[in-house]
Amino acid sequence: MLNRKYVPILVTFGLLAVMFAAGSFRYTGFFSAQVLYNLLIDNSFLIITAVGMTFVIISGGIDLSVGSVIALTTMICATLVERHGWSPALVIPMVLIFGALFGTLLGAIIHYFKIQPFIVTLAGMFLARGICYIISIDTITVTNGFFTRVAQTKVSLPGGNISINVIIALVVVLAAIYLAHYTRFGRNVYAIGGSEQSALLMGLPVARTKILVYTFSGFCSSLAGVVFTFYMLSGYGLHAMGLELDTIAAVVIGGTLLTGGVGYVAGTLIGVLIQGVIQTIISFEGTLSSWWTKIVIGLLLFVFILFQRLLSDRRVTLKT
């Protein structure tokens, strides 16, 4: 018999298949490998960000700072490489460490001061976005040879090609799946999300795990910022505006419960692809406003949140 915990991710995958099939029947050229590759190319930075957010939501938290950290990463990369002539070999590791430390700071404040993650990460969002404008209020174009080579490099696959960004995103997904399901850290994250009090009683390292969750989210956000810099070849304080909401939507649509304790990285990947398919269908249609993407995603969120609620209620009924 099918385990009930796999139902959300199966529903998500079924929705992706139906939407892609509908697009393929309606639009000429939609059903092709390159269209699928383009979904990954255009959303690689969102995939990486959503992976980090998945761990945060599974642990029972939330991280609203991810979009601002991406923007700040692009600004730091562009400023140091273009205006100060620093080597990308030094700048990229530096911004990744910065992102991880920023997440560590937020996680420590959340745990040790017992403040709601929403408030702490909201403050982090304003802080990171504000620093962007302290650096510069203008767009900083990146012309460095390394960044342009990475941006222009294509990897040939059957039916089309992908960018280096896609490879980075898929490596992060695979590493996160291993981390979530085959390590002690992953088991602790699920345990804390299920019941932090029970995790404490079992002697699990709650403090260390919660802080590491936000450290990982900060690292993923800064890595997504590097990928976004490759994608846009610029740094700008308005980059990734509202991306935190798209990220949360992708995670929830991917089957992760907002209450914590249940979720899959693979489901998050599918959630991102669903958003990409919606955007692609609207692009192929040509007559619809891009704001229909937000409308459809909003409707899907309503459906999935209600679906999760029904599953949770049924789970409680079965236990009693």
Side-chain angles (χ1 to χ4, degrees):
M1 185 177 177
L2 179 65
N3 194 321
R4 189 171 285 103
K5 68 180 182 180
Y6 297 123
V7 172
I9 190 173
L10 291 176
V11 171
T12 303
F13 181 77
L15 177 62
L16 175 64
V18 169
M19 292 176 67
F20 199 83
S24 300
F25 280 114
R26 180 170 175 80
Y27 308 109
T28 303
F30 192 96
F31 186 73
S32 67
Q34 190 58 58
V35 169
L36 182 59
Y37 296 156
N38 288 342
L39 294 179
L40 296 171
I41 293 170
D42 294 336
N43 294 284
S44 52
F45 57 90
L46 180 57
I47 292 171
I48 297 170
T49 312
V51 165
M53 184 70 78
T54 302
F55 280 80
V56 172
I57 294 180
I58 289 174
S59 72
I62 201 77
D63 189 353
L64 299 179
S65 68
V66 293
S68 298
V69 172
I70 290 174
L72 181 56
T73 301
T74 67
M75 288 297 289
I76 294 173
C77 286
T79 301
L80 294 180
V81 170
E82 292 299 318
R83 293 186 175 179
H84 299 285
W86 288 30
S87 168
L90 178 61
V91 172
I92 292 175
M94 189 185 75
V95 293
L96 295 179
I97 294 171
F98 167 79
L101 291 177
F102 189 82
T104 301
L105 175 63
L106 297 183
I109 294 173
I110 289 168
H111 179 75
Y112 291 113
F113 291 91
K114 308 299 180 186
I115 304 175
Q116 288 294 325
F118 180 91
I119 299 299
V120 175
T121 58
L122 181 65
M125 178 184 77
F126 287 127
L127 175 63
R129 190 71 69 174
I131 294 174
C132 289
Y133 295 111
I134 293 296
I135 296 173
S136 176
I137 61 173
D138 300 317
T139 302
I140 303 174
T141 303
V142 177
T143 58
N144 177 270
F146 174 78
F147 279 88
T148 55
R149 282 195 301 272
V150 172
Q152 295 168 3
T153 298
K154 302 296 181 184
V155 179
S156 296
L157 293 176
N161 54 68
I162 59 173
S163 64
I164 299 295
N165 289 348
V166 175
I167 297 174
I168 296 172
L170 294 180
V171 168
V172 170
V173 169
L174 293 176
I177 290 173
Y178 175 79
L179 191 64
H181 301 293
Y182 299 99
T183 66
R184 183 176 298 175
F185 169 73
R187 290 190 291 271
N188 291 343
V189 172
Y190 279 96
I192 291 171
S195 173
E196 185 174 333
Q197 190 61 37
S198 297
L200 282 169
L201 293 174
M202 287 188 292
L204 297 180
V206 173
R208 184 176 67 192
T209 303
K210 285 181 70 174
I211 293 172
L212 283 176
V213 162
Y214 286 93
T215 300
F216 182 64
S217 179
F219 172 83
C220 286
S221 298
S222 57
L223 179 58
V226 173
V227 167
F228 199 84
T229 308
F230 291 145
Y231 184 70
M232 297 295 292
L233 287 179
S234 67
Y236 188 35
L238 288 177
H239 277 334
M241 283 292 289
L243 189 76
E244 55 277 346
L245 303 181
D246 291 332
T247 304
I248 295 169
V251 174
V252 173
I253 292 172
T256 298
L257 293 183
L258 280 170
T259 52
V262 177
Y264 298 94
V265 174
T268 294
L269 173 61
I270 298 172
V272 173
L273 293 179
I274 285 176
Q275 292 194 31
V277 169
I278 294 170
Q279 293 170 345
T280 304
I281 288 175
I282 290 173
S283 175
F284 268 78
E285 185 66 31
T287 58
L288 295 176
S289 166
S290 60
W291 287 107
W292 275 100
T293 302
K294 303 296 183 183
I295 295 171
V296 175
I297 291 172
L299 292 173
L300 286 177
L301 269 177
F302 276 125
V303 171
F304 273 85
I305 289 171
L306 291 173
F307 180 62
Q308 289 179 2
R309 181 66 180 178
L310 291 173
L311 282 180
S312 298
D313 289 344
R314 188 168 181 180
R315 192 177 292 115
V316 171
T317 303
L318 289 174
K319 285 183 179 179
T320 55

